[in-house]
Amino acid sequence: MTLLELEQSRRILQERCDGERTQLERNRLGQFSTPFDLAVAAVRESLRYLGNDSPVHFLDPAFGTGAFYSALRQECDGRVASAHGFEIDSHYGAPSMQLWRNTALDLRIADFIRADRKSISANLLICNPPYVRHHHLNANDKAYLRQTMSQLGFQVSGLAGLYCYFMLLAHECLAPGAVSAWLVPSEFMDVNYGDVLKQYLLERVSLLRVHRFDPNEVQFTDALVSSAVVWFRNAKPRPEDEATFSFGGSIDRSARQTKRTLSTLALEPKWTRLAEPVAPMLVHNPRVALGDIFSIKRGIATGDNGFFIVSEQQAQELGFSRQFLRPILPSPRYLRAEEIHADKDGMPMIDKKLFLIDCRVDEEELSRRDPALFKYLKAGESSVANGYICRSRSPWYSQELRPPSPFLCTYMGRAGSETQQTFRFFHNHSAATAANVYLLLYPHPGLRNAIESPGVAERLFDLLRRIPIEKMTGEGRVYGGGLHKLEPRELANVPMDGIKDVLPCLTLKSAQMHFAYAGTAENAAALAS
Ligand SMILES: C[S@@+](CC[C@H](N)C(=O)[O-])C[C@H]1O[C@@H](n2cnc3c(N)ncnc32)[C@H](O)[C@@H]1O
């Protein structure tokens, strides 16, 4: 049979199998096949990411009749060196085995979540996992999944659907550098239970692209979900790497797209809005607050600064390698200047150079990669690890993700001193993160572009420093002895008068301020005039 004839037979088989099942039965196991043209587009984009002409070792953990396998063979038949599939339901699995019997495919009629996944090493995984909602998972499966996930270091919400577990479990089947593509409901990008997937996509693998289909052009006429395809590579993520977010149209011709660095995605709570257009509508908002232009986060609560923060000299004496050390700013009292310059490696050029131990790998891997640090952390196991903060982290010595921010503000200060300001702002050019004695100000997307233009960041910083102190203390809280504190939400309420002089072009979209920013400050000014 030719590849085209095989695809025709597969389609007939799919229709027959679907026709013999009720809608209820298909819902129970998430049996909604991928339209073939979508499967082809997903395969093409995946092969583009895989690059070169090396042999393909393919896996589809929710095989059905094999829409992706068929598409793969049409796209690069000669390259397919091995192929694995799992299908829990023999109603689809048995005739599919028969259909693909003369090919490289090893199709197992088995439950992927309980399968021996480690025996597979795929460099290309494409999957449309079953969309089974959490309340349809049986108690046995739920208990098994809860235990397996915690062993793998994931904390999955009880509200997560089966597709979340599929994506996380399939990690064990990925060869280093493998490309993986998942057709999933787009809701994971916005809801709480999706956090674990976003964390996985940002911390364990390298996110490449998310394409969200326009919900008005439903992809699966019979399942009615708004879906997205997520591509990633099984490689260590680098914060400066960019992922593409596209929306609408098709995979190869999206209606809109934008790029975001991985470090800024960590700060973006709702990914679905990323490829949304910014309305080119000018509004004359009389009052812009800091929270309209910055996402404000408290610095890292390390769990024990004395243990997790080490000086440059200590790090050297203890023999730590640099791979798990991140520069971190010292307490503001050690910073004489408000402008923090950096050397060529991003180290802050200040007297007191400190590092935060920031390690997310498990003990076994750590002992191989940095034996000196492993020994050091081991010594804290019976004390530091039992502290309130460390207890709730996995591994206990991992730290919150706080990329360096261009602007910072002190978290607390005393009023009334002639020589000292109550709150101090800093302009940070270095790669240093900060502990919770600081608030970190991360610019919203439009502003982020704008401050790359010459002079804009400096003018913005000047504006921050000129905010009258009573405007800041008025939003915060005061403790005995005149100690003032500002929580992130309180700093977000502080008005930022004069912002329109620095960046004259503001738009209002979805009740949130963005800058309609067209590349340079000059363009922004032109747009406003
Ligand atoms: C959304 S369909 C996708 C089918 C096919 N790959 C496609 O794209 O057209 C999901 C498939 O996964 C199967 N499935 C459901 N739970 C499974 C499990 N635990 N292990 C393996 N397959 C499963 C279903 O029977 C169904 O055929």
Side-chain angles (χ1 to χ4, degrees):
M1 259 202 269
T2 66
L3 293 173
L4 271 177
E5 285 165 348
L6 266 169
E7 171 50 24
Q8 262 168 6
S9 306
R10 187 197 69 81
R11 218 176 288 194
I12 293 166
L13 173 65
Q14 182 76 48
E15 278 168 23
R16 198 193 78 213
C17 291
D18 286 349
E20 289 165 0
R21 282 277 150 98
T22 64
Q23 187 77 12
L24 202 70
E25 286 167 330
R26 289 173 61 200
N27 272 338
R28 205 172 47 82
L29 286 173
Q31 291 168 327
F32 298 96
S33 79
T34 312
F36 190 63
D37 48 354
L38 200 159
V40 170
V43 164
R44 255 185 218 156
E45 182 72 338
S46 308
L47 288 171
R48 197 177 66 75
Y49 285 124
L50 193 62
N52 64 46
D53 289 333
S54 54
V56 171
H57 297 277
F58 174 76
L59 168 66
D60 180 348
F63 194 83
T65 58
F68 292 118
Y69 183 55
S70 182
L72 178 71
R73 300 205 19 169
Q74 285 204 7
E75 287 302 302
C76 69
D77 192 30
R79 275 176 73 185
V80 184
S82 71
H84 286 91
F86 288 86
E87 172 52 57
I88 198 169
D89 186 353
S90 60
H91 176 70
Y92 288 87
S96 299
M97 257 178 164
Q98 184 65 17
L99 177 71
W100 299 111
R101 67 187 178 285
N102 292 327
T103 73
L105 178 70
D106 170 9
L107 177 59
R108 302 179 196 173
I109 299 185
D111 179 353
F112 179 66
I113 63 176
R114 290 172 193 267
D116 169 21
R117 292 176 297 274
K118 287 204 175 116
S119 62
I120 291 173
S121 174
N123 64 358
L124 182 67
L125 185 158
I126 309 184
C127 185
N128 173 2
Y131 301 174
V132 179
R133 296 200 180 274
H134 72 98
H135 43 266
H136 288 133
L137 293 175
N138 69 45
N140 275 346
D141 283 349
K142 268 193 174 170
Y144 170 81
L145 285 168
R146 198 173 315 120
Q147 192 194 2
T148 314
M149 285 295 129
S150 77
Q151 280 163 1
L152 294 173
F154 296 113
Q155 287 202 328
V156 186
S157 152
L159 301 179
L162 187 57
Y163 75 92
C164 299
Y165 297 100
F166 255 69
M167 202 194 277
L168 299 173
L169 290 172
H171 188 76
E172 292 183 323
C173 307
L174 296 178
V179 168
S180 199
W182 292 81
L183 178 54
V184 289
S186 58
E187 67 188 28
F188 87 89
M189 293 194 259
D190 290 353
V191 297
N192 289 345
Y193 80 68
D195 284 353
V196 66
L197 288 189
K198 291 198 277 186
Q199 192 188 355
Y200 169 70
L201 294 171
L202 292 177
E203 295 179 9
R204 299 233 183 155
V205 293
S206 255
L207 181 63
L208 298 166
R209 178 178 175 190
V210 178
H211 176 80
R212 188 158 69 91
F213 296 101
D214 188 336
N216 297 318
E217 308 163 11
V218 178
Q219 298 300 310
F220 306 91
T221 40
D222 45 2
L224 288 182
V225 280
S226 54
S227 10
V229 188
V230 180
W231 285 266
F232 57 85
R233 195 185 301 285
N234 182 23
K236 197 171 174 294
R238 293 177 307 181
E240 70 277 16
D241 284 348
E242 288 185 325
T244 302
F245 282 77
S246 51
F247 174 78
S250 55
I251 290 173
D252 46 351
R253 261 187 215 193
S254 59
R256 287 189 288 278
Q257 70 174 52
T258 179
K259 285 183 188 261
R260 290 280 183 271
T261 59
L262 301 184
S263 58
T264 54
L265 279 175
L267 304 164
E268 176 54 65
K270 294 207 188 309
W271 287 7
T272 56
R273 67 181 171 208
L274 287 177
E276 279 179 8
V278 174
M281 169 185 64
L282 280 178
V283 289
H284 296 284
N285 192 316
R287 189 170 179 263
V288 176
L290 284 179
D292 293 322
I293 55 173
F294 293 108
S295 161
I296 302 173
K297 304 266 171 194
R298 182 100 187 257
I300 299 173
T302 64
D304 187 335
N305 289 353
F307 184 74
F308 289 112
I309 298 180
V310 292
S311 68
E312 201 173 26
Q313 193 189 345
Q314 267 176 306
Q316 262 169 19
E317 284 170 5
L318 290 163
F320 298 165
S321 72
R322 273 297 300 270
Q323 56 186 320
F324 300 117
L325 297 182
R326 274 214 293 155
I328 187 164
L329 295 176
S331 153
R333 67 176 181 278
Y334 295 107
L335 295 179
R336 271 175 283 158
E338 270 78 26
E339 183 121 17
I340 302 161
H341 293 286
D343 69 12
K344 62 174 186 1
D345 298 322
M347 268 314 273
M349 290 165 71
I350 51 178
D351 296 340
K352 202 172 167 66
K353 291 194 172 56
L354 298 177
F355 288 102
L356 171 71
I357 297 172
D358 185 12
C359 173
R360 280 149 214 271
V361 303
D362 62 25
E363 292 192 3
E364 202 264 328
E365 190 176 341
L366 177 63
S367 66
R368 270 186 288 112
R369 289 173 56 183
D370 192 338
L373 181 62
F374 172 71
K375 193 169 150 219
Y376 179 85
L377 291 176
K378 246 343 207 186
E381 213 167 45
S382 56
S383 49
V384 183
N386 297 325
Y388 174 70
I389 290 176
C390 296
R391 251 191 350 241
S392 61
R393 290 186 179 159
S394 173
W396 64 268
Y397 44 77
S398 62
Q399 297 290 342
E400 293 160 283
L401 200 63
R402 287 282 184 278
S405 65
F407 304 106
L408 300 106
C409 177
T410 47
Y411 167 67
M412 58 187 174
R414 281 187 194 283
S417 154
E418 293 254 306
T419 49
Q420 242 186 332
Q421 297 143 271
T422 312
F423 293 104
R424 288 170 78 194
F425 281 100
F426 294 93
H427 186 182
N428 177 30
H429 300 271
S430 79
T433 184
N436 53 3
V437 285
Y438 293 93
L439 299 172
L440 292 88
L441 282 69
Y442 296 101
H444 282 330
L447 180 60
R448 204 162 47 230
N449 290 338
I451 61 174
E452 276 161 23
S453 300
V456 175
E458 286 69 22
R459 276 151 61 204
L460 198 61
F461 182 49
D462 189 45
L463 219 53
L464 287 170
R465 298 212 299 173
R466 282 195 282 119
I467 296 175
I469 184 61
E470 60 279 6
K471 295 252 160 98
M472 299 193 55
T473 52
E475 293 294 340
R477 51 195 77 188
V478 61
Y479 293 85
L483 181 69
H484 289 266
K485 282 189 187 169
L486 267 176
E487 295 298 335
R489 248 179 303 128
E490 294 162 345
L491 181 60
N493 286 336
V494 171
M496 181 82 173
D497 297 332
I499 181 72
K500 290 241 178 159
D501 301 331
V502 175
L503 288 157
C505 191
L506 294 173
T507 67
L508 187 65
K509 173 129 204 315
S510 313
Q512 202 203 354
M513 300 295 297
H514 288 268
F515 285 94
Y517 190 75
T520 65
E522 286 72 26
N523 287 351
L527 252 173
S529 62

